[in-house]
Amino acid sequence: MKKQVGLLYSLPQILWLLVFFAAPLCIIIVYSFLKKGLYGGVEPQFSLEAYTALANPNILLVTWRTLKISIIATALTLLIALPCGYSIARSKNQAARLFLVIVPFWTNFLVRIYAWIAILGNEGFLNDILRALHLTTESVQFLYNQTAVILVLVYMYLPYAILPLFSTIDKFDFTLLDAARDLGASRFQSYVRVLLPNIKSGLMTAGLFTFVPIFGAYAVPLLIGGKDSYMLGNIIADQLTKTRNWPLASSISMTVTILTTGLVFLIAMRKPREQKQVFDADPAFLQAVPAGKR
Amino acid sequence: MKGADVDILGVSKFFGSFQALNNINLSISKGEFFSLLGPSGCGKTTVLRLIGGFEDPDSGSIAIEGKNVVGLPPDKRHCNTVFQSYALFPHLNVFENVAFPLRIRKVPQQLVREKVIHYLALVQLETHALKKPSQLSGGQRQRVAIARALINEPSILLLDEPLSALDAKLRQHMLMELDAIHDKVGITFVYVTHDQQEALSVSDRIAVMNMGEVLQIGTPRQIYENPATEFVARFIGETNVFNLKIISIDGTRIYGETEGLGPLSVEDETEANPGERVLATIRPEKIRISTDIPNTNGGHINILHGYVAEPIYSGFQTKYVVQLDTGMMVTVYRQHANWSEGIPDIEWKDEVYLSFSAADMVIVEMHKQ
């Protein structure tokens, strides 16, 4: 009886997942195995064409580039978010600082991208300053390249990395850093050898929260990027709206999904490395500890 | 002082507008078991953090082994700390926790193993080397923290209320073990505690602190038997304090008067003059209690009269709270050295006489308001 009641309680959630997650995913899977329609859509006929088309060097290049951009942007985001999260956690004024992290969310995503165009554009704010300082007479081309895309992606996803890092560091016992310094570690060593291993879970979460959405980025490379920063998200949109090859758009989507979930699984399944094994395998150590006491 | 390991001279420390330490002077000798004793918030932990290098003084100087260490970070000082919360690294097992200082110094693996096993053996934890700190009991964590602090062979070990998280029985046991470790390694221990029993039982010397000041430095016996101030007398053990108006002074014998109690005589030294007021204390165990008027011949014995307001039996002794005729409460301990003392047992509301020798009374400084 009780089990059925539990099922009943989870019904809204199950319905939600079915309608908004499972069903669309199924549609994409099915579409990816069908033949493309002449004017978009699909013909109800099995075909592996969409998957063989993935081997296209152009798609492989963009996949590689998407991976590269995502990894660089995620690494940079974590590198910036780590000191931010740390200083918020150690601050006496946590609420106010967290508020500042969240404030950008009040502005629409697209508006924030256009704000960057206003800053980085040829007639933009940054170029105005450079000209006013007589550092340049011509406009410097900041926009429409990979660097600009990475910059704006880092900006966009920084809060998603700061928040989980903050909440993990906030739970960290800072006397451990005192202890590390006391035992001879420099400030830097105390961070690397004591802080980082103890906030691993926060780093993982922050990494996933930034890597996964960046891997599927569409708007940022479209508006900020140029030819060299075309990402998988853009190919999917093009296949859907311009080339009207829905099966190919679906198979690329599947690639994105499989790559990102694969990564999540890898991280989740990763076994914590036990120091125990090192010593178990070490005969000298075993000798030192009498067998009866082990 | 020559041969001093830690020299603290005129140190003051502020946290914001709060003065944590006010002109502290301490000189701790090499190999000494030195305790900083005081109620919470008295500044004793701040002194320890100043020695350890976690804080810097606002004024004054701190020298370790004759070298000024002000401004030197903790990792550059030849002392190690046992933290109140132990501060073991949760991501490392016991072995790696103890090995941590050696790993930082990149000591070769063979030597690391030898030293870690040696120090784990010192605290009898060699069989727990592969456990994580979370798998250990409080007492075991404590011992890991001690081994980890000792492995760098510091000249000074700083202990910040290391036993406060343990239960009473275990605390007694760990205290003995600490004492044994101190004897074995022979380095200076600076021990912070608010527990006077702990401090009395293991220390070579004790500094009693209150409100950012050092009130008295001395051996446990000096501190207990000859407290310098009313605060020290009251904080260490229990005591009775009489407000005395001096009538006359004859060498070390002071004759005084307490309102309503009549004359009291005290054998001690004082700079006060006749007519002035001083405080005199007497420890509860130095007072004899009887239902008959005690025999006073052959000594300067003070006698007071009152009623038993509360007898508290605790097995090895009975504590009597006696209300004097003036209403003042005096505490008396009577040891049960013999199961049947020849005297009739003293009970609640009994009329009693208290007698104590003038030599057992001590003049103390008045508690600053």
Side-chain angles (χ1 to χ4, degrees):
Chain A
M1 277 305 279
K2 264 191 180 166
K3 263 187 187 164
Q4 283 160 356
V5 172
L7 213 61
L8 198 70
Y9 283 156
S10 63
L11 202 63
Q13 196 192 356
I14 289 174
L15 273 176
W16 175 273
L17 282 174
L18 274 179
V19 172
F20 294 106
F21 178 70
L25 190 67
C26 287
I27 293 173
I28 292 174
I29 293 173
V30 171
Y31 272 31
S32 70
F33 287 107
L34 293 180
K35 207 166 181 285
K36 101 182 194 31
L38 203 51
Y39 306 104
V42 286
E43 299 281 328
Q45 195 182 350
F46 178 79
S47 160
L48 282 173
E49 225 172 274
Y51 285 95
T52 48
L54 286 180
N56 178 325
N58 197 33
I59 293 180
L60 289 179
L61 174 76
V62 174
T63 308
W64 166 241
R65 178 193 296 149
T66 306
L67 208 60
K68 193 181 84 181
I69 291 179
S70 304
I71 289 171
I72 294 174
T74 304
L76 284 176
T77 308
L78 290 184
L79 225 55
I80 299 169
L82 198 59
C84 285
Y86 182 82
S87 75
I88 296 172
R90 293 218 85 165
S91 145
K92 285 183 186 129
N93 213 342
Q94 291 186 348
R97 294 190 185 201
L98 281 175
F99 179 74
L100 287 179
V101 173
I102 296 164
V103 158
F105 285 113
W106 291 357
T107 312
N108 178 279
F109 185 77
L110 286 173
V111 173
R112 279 185 283 150
I113 296 178
Y114 278 107
W116 275 103
I117 294 177
I119 294 171
L120 299 176
N122 282 357
E123 299 303 319
F125 183 64
L126 199 56
N127 269 312
D128 284 350
I129 291 180
L130 289 179
R131 273 194 293 269
L133 293 173
H134 299 292
L135 289 171
T136 172
T137 46
E138 301 283 300
S139 288
V140 180
Q141 179 69 39
F142 290 117
L143 279 176
Y144 313 120
N145 55 43
Q146 254 187 48
T147 317
V149 169
I150 290 173
L151 172 75
V152 176
L153 283 172
V154 168
Y155 159 79
M156 285 293 172
Y157 293 101
L158 199 53
Y160 296 96
I162 292 178
L163 294 179
L165 277 174
F166 158 76
S167 74
T168 323
I169 297 174
D170 195 39
K171 281 182 229 126
F172 177 77
D173 175 10
F174 292 108
T175 28
L176 295 183
L177 291 181
D178 273 355
R181 295 301 307 277
D182 185 74
L183 296 167
S186 66
R187 188 181 290 273
F188 181 72
Q189 281 174 319
S190 74
Y191 289 144
V192 173
R193 305 189 76 136
V194 176
L195 179 70
L196 288 187
N198 282 299
I199 59 163
K200 231 190 251 164
S201 65
L203 279 169
M204 298 287 181
T205 317
L208 280 180
F209 277 16
T210 45
F211 183 85
V212 171
I214 287 177
F215 198 74
Y218 161 69
V220 174
L222 183 73
L223 298 172
I224 303 282
K227 269 191 197 142
D228 70 338
S229 34
Y230 200 65
M231 290 170 71
L232 280 178
N234 305 105
I235 289 197
I236 295 170
D238 281 354
Q239 293 302 331
L240 211 59
T241 58
K242 289 181 189 156
T243 324
R244 299 206 162 258
N245 188 346
W246 288 21
L248 186 57
S250 302
S251 68
I252 301 173
S253 291
M254 287 309 298
T255 314
V256 174
T257 310
I258 287 167
L259 278 178
T260 47
T261 36
L263 189 82
V264 173
F265 266 102
L266 261 180
I267 289 175
M269 301 292 283
R270 204 182 53 95
K271 274 194 185 143
R273 214 181 62 225
E274 278 289 332
Q275 292 139 346
K276 188 177 172 161
Q277 286 148 359
V278 179
F279 292 113
D280 271 350
D282 192 335
F285 184 75
L286 292 184
Q287 230 172 11
V289 180
K293 286 176 148 186
R294 236 178 280 137
Chain B
M1 195 201 279
K2 273 260 153 109
D5 227 12
V6 183
D7 253 314
I8 297 178
L9 255 172
V11 162
S12 294
K13 175 76 187 169
F14 288 85
F15 292 113
S17 61
F18 171 72
Q19 183 162 24
L21 295 176
N22 180 14
N23 193 22
I24 297 285
N25 292 292
L26 284 177
S27 187
I28 302 169
S29 318
K30 208 161 188 53
E32 202 172 14
F33 198 127
F34 191 90
S35 292
L36 294 162
L37 174 64
S40 57
C42 72
K44 54 193 192 298
T45 296
T46 307
V47 173
L48 206 70
R49 290 180 64 83
L50 284 167
I51 301 173
F54 301 108
E55 311 278 354
D56 270 323
D58 291 319
S59 63
S61 74
I62 299 172
I64 293 177
E65 295 177 304
K67 280 184 299 248
N68 187 12
V69 293
V70 173
L72 219 56
D75 48 317
K76 300 274 185 289
R77 297 191 183 197
H78 206 35
C79 53
N80 285 113
T81 309
V82 176
F83 291 85
Q84 184 168 11
S85 58
Y86 316 141
L88 298 182
F89 303 128
H91 63 295
L92 299 176
N93 64 22
V94 169
F95 185 97
E96 286 302 324
N97 259 284
V98 177
F100 184 86
L102 307 179
R103 300 279 189 224
I104 292 282
R105 281 177 14 219
K106 300 201 164 56
V107 173
Q109 175 67 14
Q110 183 59 35
L111 196 60
V112 169
R113 191 177 299 120
E114 277 168 26
K115 289 198 78 175
V116 170
I117 288 168
H118 175 257
Y119 277 93
L120 281 179
L122 181 74
V123 294
Q124 296 155 29
L125 274 180
E126 63 271 41
T127 55
H128 295 70
L130 307 179
K131 289 187 181 165
K132 283 280 174 76
S134 55
Q135 295 168 293
L136 300 180
S137 70
Q140 290 169 335
R141 284 180 209 182
Q142 175 67 73
R143 285 186 279 168
V144 176
I146 293 170
R148 190 181 66 173
L150 286 173
I151 201 161
N152 256 349
E153 293 166 7
S155 58
I156 302 154
L157 187 70
L158 308 171
L159 301 112
D160 186 8
E161 307 226 15
L163 308 183
S164 60
L166 305 178
D167 61 72
K169 266 265 167 64
L170 195 56
R171 203 177 308 163
Q172 272 306 315
H173 177 74
M174 277 305 299
L175 201 59
M176 311 260 284
E177 236 171 82
L178 262 184
D179 202 19
I181 290 171
H182 177 247
D183 288 345
K184 250 184 254 175
V185 297
I187 62 170
T188 311
F189 275 36
V190 183
Y191 185 88
V192 162
T193 181
H194 64 268
D195 185 316
Q196 34 112 0
Q197 280 305 334
E198 267 176 41
L200 289 176
S201 49
V202 291
S203 312
D204 293 320
R205 283 194 305 153
I206 300 171
V208 184
M209 295 183 65
N210 189 37
M211 293 166 78
E213 291 184 30
V214 174
L215 301 179
Q216 188 175 4
I217 302 174
T219 63
R221 177 180 286 274
Q222 283 167 350
I223 299 264
Y224 185 81
E225 299 290 356
N226 217 338
T229 75
E230 184 190 357
F231 178 86
V232 176
R234 287 191 189 277
F235 189 72
I236 314 286
E238 229 175 319
T239 200
N240 301 292
V241 179
F242 296 94
N243 193 326
L244 222 61
K245 186 178 174 190
I246 299 177
I247 297 166
S248 67
I249 297 175
D250 174 14
T252 59
R253 188 161 321 277
I254 301 151
Y255 295 97
E257 193 179 41
T258 303
E259 268 111 83
L261 289 181
L264 281 178
S265 66
V266 178
E267 216 174 293
D268 200 357
E269 284 169 2
T270 178
E271 285 162 13
N273 297 311
E276 289 180 342
R277 292 195 162 275
V278 292
L279 295 180
T281 77
I282 178 85
R283 295 284 183 193
E285 73 277 10
K286 297 196 169 63
I287 303 177
R288 274 170 300 283
I289 185 169
S290 59
T291 46
D292 306 320
I293 300 181
N295 191 350
T296 61
N297 56 13
H300 287 269
I301 302 288
N302 296 300
I303 297 179
L304 300 171
H305 174 260
Y307 293 88
V308 175
E310 207 169 355
I312 300 161
Y313 178 78
S314 57
F316 67 104
Q317 70 173 21
T318 302
K319 171 178 168 179
Y320 294 100
V321 181
V322 176
Q323 183 169 17
L324 303 183
D325 298 338
T326 59
M328 180 185 171
M329 296 291 188
V330 172
T331 307
V332 181
Y333 296 154
R334 192 173 63 154
Q335 295 288 316
H336 302 157
N338 231 320
W339 71 274
S340 63
E341 303 264 2
I343 49 167
D345 215 14
I346 301 161
E347 303 205 20
W348 186 43
K349 286 190 173 171
D350 278 355
E351 185 182 355
V352 289
Y353 293 93
L354 306 179
S355 57
F356 47 94
S357 159
D360 287 337
M361 289 198 85
V362 178
I363 301 277
V364 294
E365 224 173 89
M366 287 210 203
H367 191 30
K368 267 182 255 165
Q369 294 305 317

